[in-house]
Amino acid sequence: MKKHREPAENCRLKSVTVSMESSGKYFASLLYEGYSCENQAADKDYSNAKILGIDYAMQGMAVFSEEIELEKAGFFRKNEKRLAREQRKLSRCVKGSHNYVRQKKKVARCHEKIRSQRRDYLHKLSRRIADQYDIVAVEDIDMKAMSQCLHFGKSVQDNGYGMFRNMLEYKLEWKGKELIKVDRFFPSSKKCSKCGKIKKELKLSERVYHCTCGNEMDRDRNAAINIREEARRMLAA
């Protein structure tokens, strides 16, 4: 057995949930009562808060208002050829045979590896951000609707942005910090982060934002800065 961590002292075990993966691995999740979250803040002071703005990006999952080093994600794309090869082998097996059962587990292990790599990457990134920033601002976009439009389904699901947002929210809450969701209709991409002017039209193919004030920068970085400043305005209000 691999134990994730020791339970906190003076806690009472409430329930144990046992689950099994398609690959045959078992997991036991233990729920304890009385666990106190670390560094909970009673009174929140936003006057000197360090705020990070995050804008969703199809390539690389997200773009930040500040420079943050990211590893190259896209774990499904990296393992796609291997997964396709194992699935082809499975399709040639006779259903119910010994080879079919064995190959089915191989396919399940491929899916499990992709899922585990993605979760590990998102956990580490969300933890790093939760440690460094007091407030994180994101756009309240509908990821399910995003995956169903313009044939973006594979890219959206591979990025795991919705999962990343959930991880950020509870990790920040543990530390007494906050995740702010900016309205999805806020013109973060069309607004200039320098002068505040809003473009009437902005094509999806335009990856560099150009403004009459002379501002020229990456479209997603410009949006992330606008999201950060909108969160600052919401906190002040």
Side-chain angles (χ1 to χ4, degrees), residues 51-54 65-66 137 182 186 191-194 222-236:
I51 305 175
L52 178 72
I54 302 178
S65 56
E66 298 179 18
V182 175
F186 173 70
K191 186 178 180 181
C192 177
S193 58
K194 293 287 175 70
N222 178 70
I225 294 171
N226 285 328
I227 290 169
R228 181 191 66 192
E229 295 308 311
E230 176 64 10
R232 201 184 299 277
R233 185 198 64 78
M234 290 167 67
L235 289 170

Side-chain angles (χ1 to χ4, degrees), residues 109-139:
R109 280 196 292 269
C110 282
H111 281 293
E112 185 182 340
K113 181 182 178 181
I114 295 166
R115 188 166 61 249
S116 298
Q117 286 177 327
R118 185 186 296 117
R119 288 181 68 87
D120 179 67
Y121 170 75
L122 296 178
H123 269 301
K124 287 176 180 176
L125 178 60
S126 57
R127 179 71 182 189
R128 182 152 53 102
I129 291 172
D131 287 342
Q132 292 178 2
Y133 296 91
D134 304 311
I135 304 291
V136 178
V138 298
E139 215 170 5

Side-chain angles (χ1 to χ4, degrees), residues 15-229:
S15 67
V16 179
T17 305
V18 180
S19 58
M20 187 187 79
E21 294 288 334
S22 302
S23 60
K25 291 182 181 178
Y26 284 89
F27 292 89
S29 178
L30 282 66
L31 176 65
Y32 283 87
E33 184 181 51
Y35 181 76
S36 58
C37 296
E38 55 180 291
N39 302 331
Q40 284 285 3
D43 298 315
K44 297 180 180 179
D45 182 17
Y46 299 123
S47 56
N48 297 313
K50 196 175 179 184
I51 305 175
L52 178 72
I54 302 178
D55 181 52
Y56 173 73
M58 203 62 66
Q59 299 295 328
M61 186 190 71
V63 174
F64 306 96
S65 56
E66 298 179 18
E67 288 289 343
I68 294 180
E69 289 185 12
L70 291 178
E71 296 176 18
K72 193 173 180 181
F75 300 104
F76 180 82
R77 299 283 189 184
K78 290 177 184 178
N79 295 276
E80 194 171 12
K81 288 183 179 179
R82 183 191 170 195
L83 178 61
R85 185 171 63 248
E86 297 297 342
Q87 286 175 329
R88 280 197 301 271
K89 289 180 183 178
L90 179 64
S91 66
R92 298 190 191 107
C93 294
V94 178
K95 272 195 175 182
S97 66
H98 177 71
N99 286 340
Y100 179 84
V101 174
R102 186 174 59 182
Q103 188 60 31
K104 193 175 181 181
K105 282 193 175 182
K106 282 187 179 181
V107 173
R109 280 196 292 269
C110 282
H111 281 293
E112 185 182 340
K113 181 182 178 181
I114 295 166
R115 188 166 61 249
S116 298
Q117 286 177 327
R118 185 186 296 117
R119 288 181 68 87
D120 179 67
Y121 170 75
L122 296 178
H123 269 301
K124 287 176 180 176
L125 178 60
S126 57
R127 179 71 182 189
R128 182 152 53 102
I129 291 172
D131 287 342
Q132 292 178 2
Y133 296 91
D134 304 311
I135 304 291
V136 178
V138 298
E139 215 170 5
D140 188 22
I141 54 178
D142 187 350
M143 298 309 300
K144 186 177 179 181
M146 182 77 76
S147 65
Q148 293 173 348
C149 70
L150 299 175
H151 309 289
F152 289 154
K154 190 181 288 186
S155 298
V156 171
Q157 290 171 14
D158 195 18
N159 285 337
Y161 182 71
M163 187 189 301
F164 170 68
R165 211 166 51 179
N166 293 337
M167 288 178 180
L168 255 182
E169 189 166 16
Y170 74 73
K171 283 180 172 66
L172 288 165
E173 190 178 344
W174 282 353
K175 292 179 169 292
K177 300 176 181 180
E178 194 173 347
L179 179 79
I180 292 180
K181 293 182 180 179
V182 175
D183 190 271
R184 69 186 66 174
F185 298 110
F186 173 70
S188 58
S189 296
K190 294 182 178 181
K191 186 178 180 181
C192 177
S193 58
K194 293 287 175 70
C195 68
K197 186 178 179 180
I198 299 175
K199 280 190 174 184
K200 290 184 179 180
E201 292 184 7
L202 185 67
K203 295 179 180 178
L204 193 62
S205 58
E206 294 179 44
R207 305 318 303 168
V208 178
Y209 187 90
H210 298 276
C211 184
T212 52
C213 70
N215 180 27
E216 186 175 323
M217 64 192 304
D218 179 75
R219 170 199 176 118
D220 295 325
R221 176 61 58 81
N222 178 70
I225 294 171
N226 285 328
I227 290 169
R228 181 191 66 192
E229 295 308 311

